[in-house]
Structures are given as structure tokens and as C-alpha cells.
Amino acid sequence: MSQLNFSHDTELTLRAACVLVNTDRVDGERLDDMATLDDYLDGFGWTGRRDRDDAELDSVRKLRARVGKIWDHADDEERVVGQVNALLSDTRAAPWLTRHAEMPEWHLHLASIHDPLWQRMGAEMAMSLADLIRAGELRRLKICAAPDCAAVLVDLSRNRSRMFCDTGNCGNRQHVAAYRERRAHEEHD
């Protein structure tokens, strides 16, 4: 659990957005069929309508690209605010409180369970990003610091010190490389 004051559903949705964006940033396309989309949706507890067709998969991939651009521009607050506002508008976000048997705490839904999947996902992701912006924490959206990785991450650590993604072994690889470089330098001295 992080040390931030974000609600559980905000943190969960930020993580879901991060994982979605990374489905085409590491090891090629990993959202390549309905089975992988279903696995992703089930893993994050997305509820509501699922058409399970190529149009739905394509619309989620388009949302992925759009959310990925938010990470790519996270150092430009005004630009990100414009992107988040456009996403809120395009998804016709309309907040309402709900709870489920599996999640008995009250939380927000931002679209009808009957709206298209991309629209529900986009509204939830946009609102979570809006929470991050309102808290002055946009700098928590990061690109992995490994030079050979383009994955995104959301740094929910207390001191914003996270630098590497969860998609591979980037942190360990960078630490091992630094250790080997130090050892090689010590051996030459």
C-alpha cells in the first residue's frame, strides 16, 4: 500500500492505465486478441458491458495510445490537463457512487455499465489522472529510467523515488551493470 492519500480505486485505475499503456511498449504487441484483453480486464476488475469483438479491441488500443501520450507529456502540466479534459469530455464522464459485493466500499463509476468498454475505461482513467493532477502529483507518471526500456510507471512510493518499471527486470539489470562498472573501475585502480 502506498503512503499517499489517493483512494483505492484511484490507485488501482492508475495501475491499470500503466499496465494498459505497457501492452505495446515492451516485447511488442501484447494486447493482440480478446483472450489477452479479457485477462487484463479481469485482472483489474473492470465491470460492465463487453462486446468481445475486433471493434472493441481496436477501441481499447486507441485508448491505450491516447493514455500513453499523457505519460509521454507528463512534464508539461498544461498539455496533460488539456489531454485529460478532452478524455473526460470525449467519454462523457458522469460520476455516480456505487459499490459491489466484491468491493463493498463506496467508489465512483464515471460511465454507465452499458457504455462501450473504451468509454468506461477512459472515463475512469481520466478521473484518476485528474486526481493526480489536483494533488500536484503529476510527476509520479514516469518513463522507465533504463536506457533500453520505454515502459511507463506510476510511482506511488512515498518519496517519488521509483525509477524502473515492473515489466521486466530493468531495476536489477541497471543495478548489476552499475556494480560491474564499479568493480571494473576498482580493478583498474
Side-chain angles (χ1 to χ4, degrees), residues 17-31 63-74 83 141-144 146 148-153 165 167-168 170:
C18 182
V19 169
L20 178 66
V21 170
N22 285 335
T23 61
D24 78 337
R25 292 198 177 206
V26 179
D27 298 328
E29 178 64 65
R30 291 181 307 157
L31 192 59
L63 173 64
R64 172 184 67 190
R66 195 168 176 181
V67 173
K69 288 179 183 175
I70 292 170
W71 252 272
D72 292 340
H73 300 114
Q83 291 169 316
L141 300 184
K142 299 178 179 180
I143 307 292
C144 183
D148 60 342
C149 185
V152 301
L153 61 116
C165 70
T167 62
C170 293

PDB file of all heavy atoms in Angstrom, residues 17-31 63-74 83 141-144 146 148-153 165 167-168 170:
ATOM      1  N   ALA A  17      -4.096   1.748 -15.909  1.00  0.00           N
ATOM      2  CA  ALA A  17      -3.703   2.578 -17.051  1.00  0.00           C
ATOM      3  C   ALA A  17      -2.251   2.303 -17.425  1.00  0.00           C
ATOM      4  O   ALA A  17      -1.914   2.155 -18.607  1.00  0.00           O
ATOM      5  CB  ALA A  17      -3.907   4.056 -16.725  1.00  0.00           C
ATOM      6  N   CYS A  18      -1.404   2.211 -16.435  1.00  0.00           N
ATOM      7  CA  CYS A  18       0.015   1.933 -16.652  1.00  0.00           C
ATOM      8  C   CYS A  18       0.207   0.584 -17.356  1.00  0.00           C
ATOM      9  O   CYS A  18       0.926   0.489 -18.357  1.00  0.00           O
ATOM     10  CB  CYS A  18       0.721   1.952 -15.298  1.00  0.00           C
ATOM     11  SG  CYS A  18       2.485   1.682 -15.355  1.00  0.00           S
ATOM     12  N   VAL A  19      -0.456  -0.433 -16.851  1.00  0.00           N
ATOM     13  CA  VAL A  19      -0.338  -1.766 -17.460  1.00  0.00           C
ATOM     14  C   VAL A  19      -0.869  -1.738 -18.894  1.00  0.00           C
ATOM     15  O   VAL A  19      -0.264  -2.330 -19.796  1.00  0.00           O
ATOM     16  CB  VAL A  19      -1.063  -2.822 -16.594  1.00  0.00           C
ATOM     17  CG1 VAL A  19      -1.195  -4.150 -17.328  1.00  0.00           C
ATOM     18  CG2 VAL A  19      -0.331  -3.010 -15.267  1.00  0.00           C
ATOM     19  N   LEU A  20      -1.982  -1.064 -19.106  1.00  0.00           N
ATOM     20  CA  LEU A  20      -2.536  -0.969 -20.460  1.00  0.00           C
ATOM     21  C   LEU A  20      -1.534  -0.320 -21.413  1.00  0.00           C
ATOM     22  O   LEU A  20      -1.276  -0.839 -22.496  1.00  0.00           O
ATOM     23  CB  LEU A  20      -3.853  -0.185 -20.456  1.00  0.00           C
ATOM     24  CG  LEU A  20      -4.488   0.011 -21.830  1.00  0.00           C
ATOM     25  CD1 LEU A  20      -4.930  -1.327 -22.424  1.00  0.00           C
ATOM     26  CD2 LEU A  20      -5.663   0.986 -21.741  1.00  0.00           C
ATOM     27  N   VAL A  21      -0.979   0.815 -21.027  1.00  0.00           N
ATOM     28  CA  VAL A  21      -0.020   1.515 -21.889  1.00  0.00           C
ATOM     29  C   VAL A  21       1.168   0.607 -22.213  1.00  0.00           C
ATOM     30  O   VAL A  21       1.646   0.573 -23.352  1.00  0.00           O
ATOM     31  CB  VAL A  21       0.448   2.833 -21.232  1.00  0.00           C
ATOM     32  CG1 VAL A  21       1.615   3.449 -22.000  1.00  0.00           C
ATOM     33  CG2 VAL A  21      -0.722   3.821 -21.149  1.00  0.00           C
ATOM     34  N   ASN A  22       1.608  -0.166 -21.238  1.00  0.00           N
ATOM     35  CA  ASN A  22       2.784  -1.014 -21.450  1.00  0.00           C
ATOM     36  C   ASN A  22       2.517  -2.238 -22.314  1.00  0.00           C
ATOM     37  O   ASN A  22       3.460  -2.931 -22.694  1.00  0.00           O
ATOM     38  CB  ASN A  22       3.381  -1.430 -20.106  1.00  0.00           C
ATOM     39  CG  ASN A  22       4.128  -0.294 -19.454  1.00  0.00           C
ATOM     40  OD1 ASN A  22       4.599   0.618 -20.128  1.00  0.00           O
ATOM     41  ND2 ASN A  22       4.218  -0.337 -18.140  1.00  0.00           N
ATOM     42  N   THR A  23       1.262  -2.485 -22.694  1.00  0.00           N
ATOM     43  CA  THR A  23       0.989  -3.658 -23.529  1.00  0.00           C
ATOM     44  C   THR A  23       1.528  -3.533 -24.943  1.00  0.00           C
ATOM     45  O   THR A  23       1.499  -4.514 -25.686  1.00  0.00           O
ATOM     46  CB  THR A  23      -0.522  -3.997 -23.585  1.00  0.00           C
ATOM     47  OG1 THR A  23      -1.243  -2.895 -24.140  1.00  0.00           O
ATOM     48  CG2 THR A  23      -1.060  -4.385 -22.230  1.00  0.00           C
ATOM     49  N   ASP A  24       2.027  -2.351 -25.313  1.00  0.00           N
ATOM     50  CA  ASP A  24       2.704  -2.278 -26.610  1.00  0.00           C
ATOM     51  C   ASP A  24       4.056  -1.579 -26.522  1.00  0.00           C
ATOM     52  O   ASP A  24       4.666  -1.271 -27.526  1.00  0.00           O
ATOM     53  CB  ASP A  24       1.816  -1.612 -27.669  1.00  0.00           C
ATOM     54  CG  ASP A  24       1.766  -0.102 -27.564  1.00  0.00           C
ATOM     55  OD1 ASP A  24       2.041   0.443 -26.473  1.00  0.00           O
ATOM     56  OD2 ASP A  24       1.448   0.551 -28.574  1.00  0.00           O
ATOM     57  N   ARG A  25       4.560  -1.380 -25.324  1.00  0.00           N
ATOM     58  CA  ARG A  25       5.853  -0.709 -25.165  1.00  0.00           C
ATOM     59  C   ARG A  25       6.981  -1.679 -24.843  1.00  0.00           C
ATOM     60  O   ARG A  25       8.139  -1.304 -24.887  1.00  0.00           O
ATOM     61  CB  ARG A  25       5.771   0.355 -24.072  1.00  0.00           C
ATOM     62  CG  ARG A  25       4.879   1.503 -24.476  1.00  0.00           C
ATOM     63  CD  ARG A  25       5.124   2.695 -23.643  1.00  0.00           C
ATOM     64  NE  ARG A  25       4.299   3.810 -24.118  1.00  0.00           N
ATOM     65  CZ  ARG A  25       4.616   5.064 -23.935  1.00  0.00           C
ATOM     66  NH1 ARG A  25       5.711   5.385 -23.294  1.00  0.00           N
ATOM     67  NH2 ARG A  25       3.828   6.015 -24.390  1.00  0.00           N
ATOM     68  N   VAL A  26       6.640  -2.890 -24.462  1.00  0.00           N
ATOM     69  CA  VAL A  26       7.643  -3.885 -24.080  1.00  0.00           C
ATOM     70  C   VAL A  26       7.314  -5.186 -24.804  1.00  0.00           C
ATOM     71  O   VAL A  26       6.186  -5.666 -24.743  1.00  0.00           O
ATOM     72  CB  VAL A  26       7.620  -4.123 -22.552  1.00  0.00           C
ATOM     73  CG1 VAL A  26       8.645  -5.165 -22.148  1.00  0.00           C
ATOM     74  CG2 VAL A  26       7.850  -2.819 -21.797  1.00  0.00           C
ATOM     75  N   ASP A  27       8.278  -5.723 -25.503  1.00  0.00           N
ATOM     76  CA  ASP A  27       8.115  -7.017 -26.184  1.00  0.00           C
ATOM     77  C   ASP A  27       7.004  -7.015 -27.229  1.00  0.00           C
ATOM     78  O   ASP A  27       6.316  -8.019 -27.412  1.00  0.00           O
ATOM     79  CB  ASP A  27       7.857  -8.146 -25.167  1.00  0.00           C
ATOM     80  CG  ASP A  27       9.012  -8.332 -24.208  1.00  0.00           C
ATOM     81  OD1 ASP A  27      10.165  -8.089 -24.623  1.00  0.00           O
ATOM     82  OD2 ASP A  27       8.757  -8.716 -23.056  1.00  0.00           O
ATOM     83  N   GLY A  28       6.802  -5.914 -27.916  1.00  0.00           N
ATOM     84  CA  GLY A  28       5.808  -5.855 -28.990  1.00  0.00           C
ATOM     85  C   GLY A  28       4.379  -5.846 -28.483  1.00  0.00           C
ATOM     86  O   GLY A  28       4.118  -5.666 -27.301  1.00  0.00           O
ATOM     87  N   GLU A  29       3.461  -6.049 -29.381  1.00  0.00           N
ATOM     88  CA  GLU A  29       2.026  -6.025 -29.061  1.00  0.00           C
ATOM     89  C   GLU A  29       1.666  -7.182 -28.147  1.00  0.00           C
ATOM     90  O   GLU A  29       1.874  -8.345 -28.481  1.00  0.00           O
ATOM     91  CB  GLU A  29       1.206  -6.110 -30.354  1.00  0.00           C
ATOM     92  CG  GLU A  29      -0.290  -6.130 -30.141  1.00  0.00           C
ATOM     93  CD  GLU A  29      -0.814  -4.854 -29.509  1.00  0.00           C
ATOM     94  OE1 GLU A  29      -0.716  -3.791 -30.158  1.00  0.00           O
ATOM     95  OE2 GLU A  29      -1.307  -4.928 -28.369  1.00  0.00           O
ATOM     96  N   ARG A  30       1.134  -6.863 -26.977  1.00  0.00           N
ATOM     97  CA  ARG A  30       0.709  -7.905 -26.048  1.00  0.00           C
ATOM     98  C   ARG A  30      -0.793  -7.852 -25.783  1.00  0.00           C
ATOM     99  O   ARG A  30      -1.292  -8.591 -24.942  1.00  0.00           O
ATOM    100  CB  ARG A  30       1.476  -7.800 -24.736  1.00  0.00           C
ATOM    101  CG  ARG A  30       2.955  -8.168 -24.924  1.00  0.00           C
ATOM    102  CD  ARG A  30       3.722  -8.087 -23.643  1.00  0.00           C
ATOM    103  NE  ARG A  30       3.496  -6.769 -23.064  1.00  0.00           N
ATOM    104  CZ  ARG A  30       3.628  -6.473 -21.782  1.00  0.00           C
ATOM    105  NH1 ARG A  30       3.993  -7.379 -20.926  1.00  0.00           N
ATOM    106  NH2 ARG A  30       3.402  -5.259 -21.335  1.00  0.00           N
ATOM    107  N   LEU A  31      -1.487  -6.993 -26.493  1.00  0.00           N
ATOM    108  CA  LEU A  31      -2.945  -6.939 -26.414  1.00  0.00           C
ATOM    109  C   LEU A  31      -3.438  -7.316 -27.806  1.00  0.00           C
ATOM    110  O   LEU A  31      -3.989  -6.519 -28.544  1.00  0.00           O
ATOM    111  CB  LEU A  31      -3.394  -5.529 -26.020  1.00  0.00           C
ATOM    112  CG  LEU A  31      -4.840  -5.333 -25.614  1.00  0.00           C
ATOM    113  CD1 LEU A  31      -5.188  -6.200 -24.409  1.00  0.00           C
ATOM    114  CD2 LEU A  31      -5.100  -3.875 -25.276  1.00  0.00           C
ATOM    115  N   LEU A  63      -7.480   3.858 -27.080  1.00  0.00           N
ATOM    116  CA  LEU A  63      -7.430   4.463 -25.747  1.00  0.00           C
ATOM    117  C   LEU A  63      -6.025   4.325 -25.171  1.00  0.00           C
ATOM    118  O   LEU A  63      -5.485   5.276 -24.595  1.00  0.00           O
ATOM    119  CB  LEU A  63      -8.457   3.808 -24.817  1.00  0.00           C
ATOM    120  CG  LEU A  63      -8.401   4.241 -23.357  1.00  0.00           C
ATOM    121  CD1 LEU A  63      -8.738   5.724 -23.212  1.00  0.00           C
ATOM    122  CD2 LEU A  63      -9.350   3.383 -22.516  1.00  0.00           C
ATOM    123  N   ARG A  64      -5.421   3.166 -25.345  1.00  0.00           N
ATOM    124  CA  ARG A  64      -4.052   2.921 -24.860  1.00  0.00           C
ATOM    125  C   ARG A  64      -3.091   3.968 -25.418  1.00  0.00           C
ATOM    126  O   ARG A  64      -2.289   4.541 -24.670  1.00  0.00           O
ATOM    127  CB  ARG A  64      -3.621   1.518 -25.271  1.00  0.00           C
ATOM    128  CG  ARG A  64      -2.164   1.214 -24.992  1.00  0.00           C
ATOM    129  CD  ARG A  64      -1.766  -0.148 -25.494  1.00  0.00           C
ATOM    130  NE  ARG A  64      -1.798  -0.243 -26.934  1.00  0.00           N
ATOM    131  CZ  ARG A  64      -1.669  -1.370 -27.615  1.00  0.00           C
ATOM    132  NH1 ARG A  64      -1.511  -2.518 -26.983  1.00  0.00           N
ATOM    133  NH2 ARG A  64      -1.696  -1.381 -28.927  1.00  0.00           N
ATOM    134  N   ALA A  65      -3.169   4.225 -26.713  1.00  0.00           N
ATOM    135  CA  ALA A  65      -2.283   5.213 -27.339  1.00  0.00           C
ATOM    136  C   ALA A  65      -2.533   6.605 -26.755  1.00  0.00           C
ATOM    137  O   ALA A  65      -1.591   7.362 -26.487  1.00  0.00           O
ATOM    138  CB  ALA A  65      -2.489   5.217 -28.850  1.00  0.00           C
ATOM    139  N   ARG A  66      -3.779   6.916 -26.551  1.00  0.00           N
ATOM    140  CA  ARG A  66      -4.149   8.228 -26.019  1.00  0.00           C
ATOM    141  C   ARG A  66      -3.639   8.408 -24.586  1.00  0.00           C
ATOM    142  O   ARG A  66      -3.088   9.455 -24.243  1.00  0.00           O
ATOM    143  CB  ARG A  66      -5.671   8.345 -26.076  1.00  0.00           C
ATOM    144  CG  ARG A  66      -6.190   9.703 -25.910  1.00  0.00           C
ATOM    145  CD  ARG A  66      -7.656   9.728 -26.283  1.00  0.00           C
ATOM    146  NE  ARG A  66      -8.182  11.046 -26.015  1.00  0.00           N
ATOM    147  CZ  ARG A  66      -9.420  11.405 -26.206  1.00  0.00           C
ATOM    148  NH1 ARG A  66     -10.286  10.525 -26.685  1.00  0.00           N
ATOM    149  NH2 ARG A  66      -9.816  12.624 -25.937  1.00  0.00           N
ATOM    150  N   VAL A  67      -3.804   7.400 -23.758  1.00  0.00           N
ATOM    151  CA  VAL A  67      -3.326   7.470 -22.375  1.00  0.00           C
ATOM    152  C   VAL A  67      -1.791   7.463 -22.354  1.00  0.00           C
ATOM    153  O   VAL A  67      -1.179   8.165 -21.549  1.00  0.00           O
ATOM    154  CB  VAL A  67      -3.927   6.327 -21.530  1.00  0.00           C
ATOM    155  CG1 VAL A  67      -3.314   6.287 -20.132  1.00  0.00           C
ATOM    156  CG2 VAL A  67      -5.449   6.479 -21.437  1.00  0.00           C
ATOM    157  N   GLY A  68      -1.185   6.726 -23.262  1.00  0.00           N
ATOM    158  CA  GLY A  68       0.272   6.714 -23.354  1.00  0.00           C
ATOM    159  C   GLY A  68       0.843   8.094 -23.642  1.00  0.00           C
ATOM    160  O   GLY A  68       1.903   8.466 -23.123  1.00  0.00           O
ATOM    161  N   LYS A  69       0.139   8.879 -24.440  1.00  0.00           N
ATOM    162  CA  LYS A  69       0.596  10.249 -24.728  1.00  0.00           C
ATOM    163  C   LYS A  69       0.570  11.117 -23.483  1.00  0.00           C
ATOM    164  O   LYS A  69       1.367  12.042 -23.342  1.00  0.00           O
ATOM    165  CB  LYS A  69      -0.255  10.867 -25.835  1.00  0.00           C
ATOM    166  CG  LYS A  69       0.036  10.270 -27.186  1.00  0.00           C
ATOM    167  CD  LYS A  69      -0.827  10.871 -28.270  1.00  0.00           C
ATOM    168  CE  LYS A  69      -0.543  10.166 -29.585  1.00  0.00           C
ATOM    169  NZ  LYS A  69      -1.421  10.620 -30.655  1.00  0.00           N
ATOM    170  N   ILE A  70      -0.324  10.825 -22.567  1.00  0.00           N
ATOM    171  CA  ILE A  70      -0.351  11.570 -21.303  1.00  0.00           C
ATOM    172  C   ILE A  70       0.951  11.308 -20.540  1.00  0.00           C
ATOM    173  O   ILE A  70       1.584  12.231 -20.030  1.00  0.00           O
ATOM    174  CB  ILE A  70      -1.606  11.217 -20.488  1.00  0.00           C
ATOM    175  CG1 ILE A  70      -2.847  11.766 -21.210  1.00  0.00           C
ATOM    176  CG2 ILE A  70      -1.507  11.732 -19.053  1.00  0.00           C
ATOM    177  CD1 ILE A  70      -4.181  11.301 -20.668  1.00  0.00           C
ATOM    178  N   TRP A  71       1.368  10.049 -20.461  1.00  0.00           N
ATOM    179  CA  TRP A  71       2.646   9.737 -19.815  1.00  0.00           C
ATOM    180  C   TRP A  71       3.794  10.412 -20.554  1.00  0.00           C
ATOM    181  O   TRP A  71       4.695  10.960 -19.931  1.00  0.00           O
ATOM    182  CB  TRP A  71       2.877   8.229 -19.795  1.00  0.00           C
ATOM    183  CG  TRP A  71       2.727   7.610 -18.447  1.00  0.00           C
ATOM    184  CD1 TRP A  71       3.711   7.469 -17.502  1.00  0.00           C
ATOM    185  CD2 TRP A  71       1.550   7.016 -17.896  1.00  0.00           C
ATOM    186  NE1 TRP A  71       3.204   6.829 -16.397  1.00  0.00           N
ATOM    187  CE2 TRP A  71       1.885   6.535 -16.615  1.00  0.00           C
ATOM    188  CE3 TRP A  71       0.254   6.846 -18.356  1.00  0.00           C
ATOM    189  CZ2 TRP A  71       0.966   5.897 -15.795  1.00  0.00           C
ATOM    190  CZ3 TRP A  71      -0.654   6.204 -17.553  1.00  0.00           C
ATOM    191  CH2 TRP A  71      -0.299   5.743 -16.279  1.00  0.00           C
ATOM    192  N   ASP A  72       3.756  10.371 -21.884  1.00  0.00           N
ATOM    193  CA  ASP A  72       4.842  10.950 -22.672  1.00  0.00           C
ATOM    194  C   ASP A  72       5.007  12.442 -22.444  1.00  0.00           C
ATOM    195  O   ASP A  72       6.091  12.987 -22.615  1.00  0.00           O
ATOM    196  CB  ASP A  72       4.607  10.695 -24.170  1.00  0.00           C
ATOM    197  CG  ASP A  72       4.730   9.232 -24.545  1.00  0.00           C
ATOM    198  OD1 ASP A  72       5.345   8.448 -23.787  1.00  0.00           O
ATOM    199  OD2 ASP A  72       4.190   8.847 -25.606  1.00  0.00           O
ATOM    200  N   HIS A  73       3.926  13.120 -22.060  1.00  0.00           N
ATOM    201  CA  HIS A  73       3.959  14.574 -21.862  1.00  0.00           C
ATOM    202  C   HIS A  73       3.797  14.967 -20.401  1.00  0.00           C
ATOM    203  O   HIS A  73       3.444  16.103 -20.096  1.00  0.00           O
ATOM    204  CB  HIS A  73       2.875  15.242 -22.712  1.00  0.00           C
ATOM    205  CG  HIS A  73       3.049  14.974 -24.167  1.00  0.00           C
ATOM    206  ND1 HIS A  73       2.147  14.239 -24.894  1.00  0.00           N
ATOM    207  CD2 HIS A  73       4.048  15.299 -25.016  1.00  0.00           C
ATOM    208  CE1 HIS A  73       2.573  14.144 -26.142  1.00  0.00           C
ATOM    209  NE2 HIS A  73       3.726  14.758 -26.241  1.00  0.00           N
ATOM    210  N   ALA A  74       4.048  14.052 -19.484  1.00  0.00           N
ATOM    211  CA  ALA A  74       3.805  14.306 -18.062  1.00  0.00           C
ATOM    212  C   ALA A  74       4.596  15.483 -17.512  1.00  0.00           C
ATOM    213  O   ALA A  74       4.232  16.045 -16.483  1.00  0.00           O
ATOM    214  CB  ALA A  74       4.097  13.053 -17.243  1.00  0.00           C
ATOM    215  N   GLN A  83      -5.223  17.185 -22.286  1.00  0.00           N
ATOM    216  CA  GLN A  83      -5.473  15.809 -22.721  1.00  0.00           C
ATOM    217  C   GLN A  83      -6.469  15.114 -21.795  1.00  0.00           C
ATOM    218  O   GLN A  83      -7.365  14.396 -22.262  1.00  0.00           O
ATOM    219  CB  GLN A  83      -4.158  15.021 -22.771  1.00  0.00           C
ATOM    220  CG  GLN A  83      -3.219  15.476 -23.872  1.00  0.00           C
ATOM    221  CD  GLN A  83      -1.840  14.857 -23.733  1.00  0.00           C
ATOM    222  OE1 GLN A  83      -1.261  14.783 -22.650  1.00  0.00           O
ATOM    223  NE2 GLN A  83      -1.293  14.400 -24.868  1.00  0.00           N
ATOM    224  N   LEU A 141       3.964  10.202 -12.778  1.00  0.00           N
ATOM    225  CA  LEU A 141       3.898   9.488 -14.062  1.00  0.00           C
ATOM    226  C   LEU A 141       5.291   9.541 -14.668  1.00  0.00           C
ATOM    227  O   LEU A 141       5.813  10.622 -14.947  1.00  0.00           O
ATOM    228  CB  LEU A 141       2.893  10.141 -15.006  1.00  0.00           C
ATOM    229  CG  LEU A 141       1.442  10.216 -14.560  1.00  0.00           C
ATOM    230  CD1 LEU A 141       0.594  10.818 -15.667  1.00  0.00           C
ATOM    231  CD2 LEU A 141       0.908   8.865 -14.141  1.00  0.00           C
ATOM    232  N   LYS A 142       5.893   8.393 -14.870  1.00  0.00           N
ATOM    233  CA  LYS A 142       7.281   8.342 -15.325  1.00  0.00           C
ATOM    234  C   LYS A 142       7.458   7.325 -16.443  1.00  0.00           C
ATOM    235  O   LYS A 142       6.664   6.406 -16.595  1.00  0.00           O
ATOM    236  CB  LYS A 142       8.209   7.937 -14.168  1.00  0.00           C
ATOM    237  CG  LYS A 142       8.192   8.899 -12.999  1.00  0.00           C
ATOM    238  CD  LYS A 142       9.090   8.419 -11.878  1.00  0.00           C
ATOM    239  CE  LYS A 142       9.092   9.388 -10.713  1.00  0.00           C
ATOM    240  NZ  LYS A 142       9.985   8.911  -9.622  1.00  0.00           N
ATOM    241  N   ILE A 143       8.534   7.521 -17.185  1.00  0.00           N
ATOM    242  CA  ILE A 143       9.014   6.544 -18.156  1.00  0.00           C
ATOM    243  C   ILE A 143      10.187   5.826 -17.479  1.00  0.00           C
ATOM    244  O   ILE A 143      10.997   6.457 -16.794  1.00  0.00           O
ATOM    245  CB  ILE A 143       9.501   7.224 -19.463  1.00  0.00           C
ATOM    246  CG1 ILE A 143       8.436   8.153 -20.045  1.00  0.00           C
ATOM    247  CG2 ILE A 143       9.972   6.188 -20.469  1.00  0.00           C
ATOM    248  CD1 ILE A 143       7.207   7.478 -20.585  1.00  0.00           C
ATOM    249  N   CYS A 144      10.291   4.536 -17.658  1.00  0.00           N
ATOM    250  CA  CYS A 144      11.354   3.743 -17.049  1.00  0.00           C
ATOM    251  C   CYS A 144      12.724   4.374 -17.338  1.00  0.00           C
ATOM    252  O   CYS A 144      12.991   4.816 -18.457  1.00  0.00           O
ATOM    253  CB  CYS A 144      11.311   2.309 -17.590  1.00  0.00           C
ATOM    254  SG  CYS A 144      12.543   1.214 -16.839  1.00  0.00           S
ATOM    255  N   ALA A 146      15.595   2.892 -17.375  1.00  0.00           N
ATOM    256  CA  ALA A 146      16.530   2.020 -18.087  1.00  0.00           C
ATOM    257  C   ALA A 146      16.667   2.527 -19.521  1.00  0.00           C
ATOM    258  O   ALA A 146      15.664   2.803 -20.185  1.00  0.00           O
ATOM    259  CB  ALA A 146      16.035   0.575 -18.079  1.00  0.00           C
ATOM    260  N   ASP A 148      17.234   1.140 -22.261  1.00  0.00           N
ATOM    261  CA  ASP A 148      16.690   0.287 -23.315  1.00  0.00           C
ATOM    262  C   ASP A 148      15.214  -0.049 -23.098  1.00  0.00           C
ATOM    263  O   ASP A 148      14.699  -1.011 -23.652  1.00  0.00           O
ATOM    264  CB  ASP A 148      17.514  -0.996 -23.420  1.00  0.00           C
ATOM    265  CG  ASP A 148      17.517  -1.794 -22.118  1.00  0.00           C
ATOM    266  OD1 ASP A 148      17.187  -1.224 -21.058  1.00  0.00           O
ATOM    267  OD2 ASP A 148      17.863  -2.987 -22.161  1.00  0.00           O
ATOM    268  N   CYS A 149      14.512   0.756 -22.297  1.00  0.00           N
ATOM    269  CA  CYS A 149      13.114   0.465 -21.974  1.00  0.00           C
ATOM    270  C   CYS A 149      12.255   1.713 -22.160  1.00  0.00           C
ATOM    271  O   CYS A 149      12.643   2.805 -21.757  1.00  0.00           O
ATOM    272  CB  CYS A 149      13.005  -0.038 -20.533  1.00  0.00           C
ATOM    273  SG  CYS A 149      11.341  -0.565 -20.081  1.00  0.00           S
ATOM    274  N   ALA A 150      11.097   1.535 -22.765  1.00  0.00           N
ATOM    275  CA  ALA A 150      10.164   2.646 -22.984  1.00  0.00           C
ATOM    276  C   ALA A 150       8.886   2.483 -22.164  1.00  0.00           C
ATOM    277  O   ALA A 150       7.913   3.193 -22.373  1.00  0.00           O
ATOM    278  CB  ALA A 150       9.813   2.737 -24.471  1.00  0.00           C
ATOM    279  N   ALA A 151       8.894   1.537 -21.207  1.00  0.00           N
ATOM    280  CA  ALA A 151       7.699   1.281 -20.403  1.00  0.00           C
ATOM    281  C   ALA A 151       7.399   2.468 -19.494  1.00  0.00           C
ATOM    282  O   ALA A 151       8.290   3.232 -19.118  1.00  0.00           O
ATOM    283  CB  ALA A 151       7.895   0.020 -19.568  1.00  0.00           C
ATOM    284  N   VAL A 152       6.128   2.600 -19.143  1.00  0.00           N
ATOM    285  CA  VAL A 152       5.708   3.654 -18.223  1.00  0.00           C
ATOM    286  C   VAL A 152       5.520   3.060 -16.834  1.00  0.00           C
ATOM    287  O   VAL A 152       5.382   1.844 -16.672  1.00  0.00           O
ATOM    288  CB  VAL A 152       4.410   4.345 -18.697  1.00  0.00           C
ATOM    289  CG1 VAL A 152       4.602   4.965 -20.076  1.00  0.00           C
ATOM    290  CG2 VAL A 152       3.226   3.395 -18.686  1.00  0.00           C
ATOM    291  N   LEU A 153       5.520   3.926 -15.850  1.00  0.00           N
ATOM    292  CA  LEU A 153       5.234   3.518 -14.488  1.00  0.00           C
ATOM    293  C   LEU A 153       4.534   4.649 -13.762  1.00  0.00           C
ATOM    294  O   LEU A 153       4.637   5.808 -14.158  1.00  0.00           O
ATOM    295  CB  LEU A 153       6.506   3.101 -13.743  1.00  0.00           C
ATOM    296  CG  LEU A 153       7.592   4.151 -13.569  1.00  0.00           C
ATOM    297  CD1 LEU A 153       7.783   4.455 -12.088  1.00  0.00           C
ATOM    298  CD2 LEU A 153       8.898   3.624 -14.139  1.00  0.00           C
ATOM    299  N   CYS A 165      10.474   0.316 -14.231  1.00  0.00           N
ATOM    300  CA  CYS A 165       9.169  -0.306 -14.430  1.00  0.00           C
ATOM    301  C   CYS A 165       9.106  -1.704 -13.839  1.00  0.00           C
ATOM    302  O   CYS A 165      10.116  -2.242 -13.398  1.00  0.00           O
ATOM    303  CB  CYS A 165       8.851  -0.362 -15.923  1.00  0.00           C
ATOM    304  SG  CYS A 165       9.902  -1.542 -16.827  1.00  0.00           S
ATOM    305  N   THR A 167       7.792  -4.175 -15.788  1.00  0.00           N
ATOM    306  CA  THR A 167       7.534  -5.036 -16.939  1.00  0.00           C
ATOM    307  C   THR A 167       8.636  -6.049 -17.180  1.00  0.00           C
ATOM    308  O   THR A 167       8.412  -7.075 -17.795  1.00  0.00           O
ATOM    309  CB  THR A 167       7.336  -4.220 -18.225  1.00  0.00           C
ATOM    310  OG1 THR A 167       8.540  -3.503 -18.486  1.00  0.00           O
ATOM    311  CG2 THR A 167       6.177  -3.268 -18.083  1.00  0.00           C
ATOM    312  N   GLY A 168       9.804  -5.752 -16.749  1.00  0.00           N
ATOM    313  CA  GLY A 168      10.926  -6.661 -16.955  1.00  0.00           C
ATOM    314  C   GLY A 168      11.772  -6.675 -15.712  1.00  0.00           C
ATOM    315  O   GLY A 168      11.279  -6.610 -14.593  1.00  0.00           O
ATOM    316  N   CYS A 170      14.275  -4.387 -15.254  1.00  0.00           N
ATOM    317  CA  CYS A 170      15.064  -3.181 -15.524  1.00  0.00           C
ATOM    318  C   CYS A 170      15.875  -2.709 -14.327  1.00  0.00           C
ATOM    319  O   CYS A 170      17.058  -2.406 -14.454  1.00  0.00           O
ATOM    320  CB  CYS A 170      14.168  -2.056 -16.022  1.00  0.00           C
ATOM    321  SG  CYS A 170      13.446  -2.390 -17.639  1.00  0.00           S
TER     322      CYS A 170
END
